[in-house]
Amino acid sequence: IKTEKFQEYLETEEWFRYFTGFSVPWHFWSPDEYGTELQDTGLVPTRVELILKDMTQKGKDGLCSYFQTTWLPYSQRIPKQRRSRFVSGLADAYLREFPLDENGLVHMRMVRLEIEMFKP
């Protein structure tokens, strides 16, 4: 989800209390930052690249499954009996911004890190 749309969802009356003091647990470095860290391991990076990728899910159910398995730092803040509702609303917010395609698929822009390196 675009950051501002996701943030709007978290700040709704229904969910904001679960995210007081919450900070995003993920940090994504630039290729240069990865390269520097990799050099400290004694390996020599020959290619460090972030590749844009189109990830698809089958409809809202597929999107909900994705959120349930990968967005644990968010969903685990919600009481267990309310998590399905939270995830469903998150999927609805995403689908309002990025509707299903003609085949019923949800498209998500992702970035994959690819590294090639060698040991001297």
Side-chain angles (χ1 to χ4, degrees):
I1 291 181
K2 290 182 179 179
T3 304
E4 63 275 0
K5 293 295 181 187
F6 184 58
Q7 193 61 39
E8 286 174 16
Y9 180 70
L10 296 180
E11 291 174 358
T12 61
E13 185 177 341
E14 187 171 8
W15 306 116
F16 79 94
R17 68 181 162 274
Y18 301 110
F19 295 97
T20 301
F22 178 74
S23 62
V24 177
W26 299 295
H27 171 76
F28 300 100
W29 291 343
S30 71
D32 289 339
E33 290 171 308
Y34 278 112
T36 301
E37 288 296 314
L38 291 169
Q39 287 176 341
D40 292 344
T41 68
L43 300 171
V44 178
T46 57
R47 183 175 69 91
V48 180
E49 190 173 0
L50 296 174
I51 307 293
L52 289 177
K53 181 178 173 127
D54 178 40
M55 183 178 72
T56 59
Q57 302 293 335
K58 292 184 180 179
K60 181 180 175 181
D61 289 343
L63 185 58
C64 286
S65 292
Y66 170 75
F67 287 146
Q68 288 172 338
T69 58
T70 60
W71 290 51
L72 294 175
Y74 292 91
S75 64
Q76 288 179 339
R77 297 182 71 84
I78 306 297
K80 193 172 186 175
Q81 68 274 17
R82 300 193 71 210
R83 284 182 193 160
S84 291
R85 180 177 172 83
F86 173 75
V87 168
S88 179
L90 180 59
D92 288 339
Y94 187 88
L95 291 170
R96 278 192 297 278
E97 188 77 15
F98 305 100
L100 298 175
D101 71 10
E102 64 278 356
N103 297 315
L105 297 176
V106 180
H107 293 267
M108 301 180 79
R109 291 187 64 201
M110 305 297 283
V111 178
R112 180 176 64 198
L113 172 65
E114 291 187 5
I115 300 172
E116 292 176 6
M117 46 195 203
F118 68 92
K119 185 174 181 175

